[in-house]
Amino acid sequence: MRKILVVGAGQSGLQLALGLQSHGYEVTLMSNRTADEIRTGRVMSTQCMFHTALQHERDLQLNFWESQAPKIEGLGVSVAAPGSHDPGPTQRAIDWVGRLDGYAQSVDQRVKMAGWMDTFAQRGGQLVIHGAAVSDLDYFSRVYDLVLVSAGKGELVSMFGRDASRSPFTEPQRALAVAYVHGLGPRPEHPDYDAVRCNLVPGVGELFVMPTLTTSGRADILFWEGIPGGPLDVFQGVRDPGEHLSLTLELMERFVPWEHARTAGVELTDAGGVLSGRYAPTVRNPVAHLPGGGLALGVADVVVANDPITGQGSNSASKCAASYLAAILEHGEKEFDETWMRSAFDRYWATAQHVTKWTNAMLGPPPEHVLNLIGAAGSLPPVANRFANGFNDPADFEDFFYDPAKTEAYLASVTGAAADA
């Protein structure tokens, strides 16, 4: 029986460990926290997982919370009118909702990771609660057939060198601030289904609002992405959860009052329901060379860390785990050497490159043809729907988003079809 070590108990590490376990591999999972510590700790992320990523969980029968979590059937985009966040009423220049072909869901990672860790242990997996260091991996690389590193922060990540050719940014592009809340009211104009709301404030940042399942039931996530140094970049050093929520709401009132209007009954889900931080989007070399000559393969955020502006983190983690699982199963009894490791990553990168390209594009000011596309979606439902479904399959943006000529041709074809209907 092949022995595999997975370091890190997030979406990708746990999904991969449970998948390998189900195929008879002897899997050891290392986590720096117990399931109970995760369950009762601070929120770790925002997450809205779209159809393809959710299907990877279903394929492994790990969709334990599917019947409880809100079914997100739409994705809406609102754009504040230029200058409208100055004193006075704020208007929306653009406001529409696209329908998803398959629903999305969000499950608080405290719920999911703790539940999956318990499941892994109950199924006979070896769970080691220990914060791994490079020296640990040096030893383990001689004991295990394969070492996978899915812990996305700290000393271990530094083993994987930055790939400058795929990493255009050296500094964080957004200051991030998250609050999980109960009591958010519906939008007056909201359709009769759950939707993620993406609110874009040009030159300032973005607010994302998404329904989720948390430790205390259904909730909503309020997630600010602020341009560093701008008016949203005010959460550093804020330690009090109540102050964090107050700041969140004050900024909503100023910049997106149409969202603030439904916050009258809002309260934090719990004292751990806030998070803030920032990081530079980075693609890294997938193979780490350990001091003793061993190798480790990076997983998900360790090797491809995108800004969360396009909501792809947990989706990419699920897709990476599924891709690596398939590569491991196909490899059989052969050695997991560096050639195989790089081929496994290249297989994942074939999908991940589209996420990185789209996310990096969304971090900059939108060019005119993209503004035209987003604006046209307000009167052309097929455009709104296609844009929304790009969150599930970002590769589709190649055909209508980046190239002005392709965008123009696509809009012309949709307009023509609408005129003929």
Side-chain angles (χ1 to χ4, degrees):
M1 186 185 295
R2 310 211 76 181
K3 296 176 64 177
I4 295 180
L5 173 66
V6 179
V7 181
Q11 172 75 39
S12 200
L14 273 161
Q15 183 181 317
L16 189 49
L18 285 157
L20 289 166
Q21 186 183 52
S22 72
H23 285 278
Y25 287 77
E26 185 179 327
V27 185
T28 299
L29 177 68
M30 292 187 73
S31 170
N32 63 356
R33 292 192 292 167
T34 67
D36 282 343
E37 286 171 338
I38 291 171
R39 192 178 283 114
T40 60
R42 181 183 293 273
V43 293
M44 296 178 280
S45 67
T46 61
Q47 61 288 306
C48 182
M49 297 185 68
F50 295 89
H51 174 75
T52 300
L54 292 176
Q55 190 58 48
H56 291 317
E57 296 185 356
R58 296 182 190 116
D59 291 344
L60 295 172
Q61 298 182 313
L62 297 174
N63 54 327
F64 302 154
W65 302 275
E66 185 156 3
S67 64
Q68 303 168 51
K71 289 179 169 57
I72 299 168
E73 298 180 70
L75 185 138
V77 173
S78 301
V79 181
S84 65
H85 49 268
D86 294 332
T90 301
Q91 303 297 323
R92 282 169 280 184
I94 294 169
D95 185 55
W96 51 258
V97 185
R99 290 301 295 261
L100 296 170
D101 293 338
Y103 61 77
Q105 289 191 306
S106 171
V107 177
D108 184 341
Q109 292 198 340
R110 295 178 296 181
V111 173
K112 184 189 288 187
M113 301 310 121
W116 279 1
M117 279 179 71
D118 287 340
T119 300
F120 176 79
Q122 289 161 6
R123 292 177 178 176
Q126 184 174 0
L127 180 60
V128 177
I129 307 302
H130 177 67
V134 173
S135 56
D136 297 316
L137 297 197
D138 209 23
Y139 167 75
F140 288 130
S141 68
R142 297 189 289 273
V143 177
Y144 290 87
D145 296 301
L146 175 62
V147 174
L148 297 157
V149 178
S150 63
K153 299 185 178 75
E155 177 193 10
L156 299 187
V157 178
S158 65
M159 300 188 303
F160 301 88
R162 178 174 177 270
D163 183 343
S165 68
R166 292 170 170 170
S167 305
F169 304 115
T170 57
E171 301 292 334
Q173 298 300 297
R174 292 292 188 274
L176 315 173
V178 176
Y180 280 53
V181 299
H182 289 309
L184 186 69
R187 271 195 180 193
E189 79 284 13
H190 205 289
D192 58 353
Y193 54 84
D194 277 315
V196 171
R197 289 289 185 168
C198 309
N199 299 278
L200 315 181
V201 186
V204 176
E206 302 82 25
L207 174 76
F208 300 91
V209 183
M210 67 190 76
T212 191
L213 176 72
T214 187
T215 53
S216 50
R218 184 195 161 109
D220 287 277
I221 299 171
L222 307 175
F223 176 33
W224 275 116
E225 286 228 349
I227 294 174
L232 304 178
D233 187 3
V234 291
F235 289 88
Q236 260 185 317
V238 176
R239 298 287 176 261
D240 178 71
E243 184 183 351
H244 182 113
L245 178 60
S246 293
L247 263 178
T248 299
L249 298 178
E250 286 170 18
L251 293 168
M252 289 175 69
E253 185 175 23
R254 178 179 174 190
F255 292 106
V256 287
W258 57 89
E259 297 288 10
H260 182 265
R262 52 196 187 114
T263 64
V266 154
E267 60 182 11
L268 287 175
T269 56
D270 61 287
V274 298
L275 182 69
S276 62
R278 67 189 73 205
Y279 60 89
T282 308
V283 178
R284 297 182 177 87
N285 189 311
V287 180
H289 292 259
L290 298 164
L295 301 172
L297 174 61
V299 182
D301 277 1
V302 170
V303 285
V304 185
N306 294 303
D307 188 277
I309 191 169
T310 54
Q312 294 298 298
S314 55
N315 292 275
S316 293
S318 175
K319 292 172 182 178
C320 183
S323 180
Y324 278 16
L325 176 61
I328 292 168
L329 296 178
E330 291 169 13
H331 201 57
E333 296 298 317
K334 296 190 286 289
E335 180 186 358
F336 295 112
D337 58 13
E338 183 167 357
T339 299
W340 175 83
M341 289 183 176
R342 292 191 178 278
S343 71
F345 173 76
D346 289 344
R347 178 177 181 160
Y348 168 55
W349 179 248
T351 299
Q353 64 178 322
H354 298 293
V355 177
T356 297
K357 181 177 181 178
W358 176 45
T359 303
N360 290 347
M362 290 298 290
L363 287 168
E368 184 177 0
H369 73 278
V370 170
L371 288 175
N372 291 341
L373 177 73
I374 295 173
S379 57
L380 296 170
V383 177
N385 295 344
R386 187 172 186 182
F387 191 93
N389 283 286
F391 282 74
N392 178 57
D393 179 19
D396 188 45
F397 286 113
E398 286 288 345
D399 295 328
F400 73 102
F401 184 82
Y402 303 109
D403 184 331
K406 287 184 178 180
T407 302
E408 185 177 345
Y410 168 61
L411 291 178
S413 69
V414 176
T415 304
D420 293 340

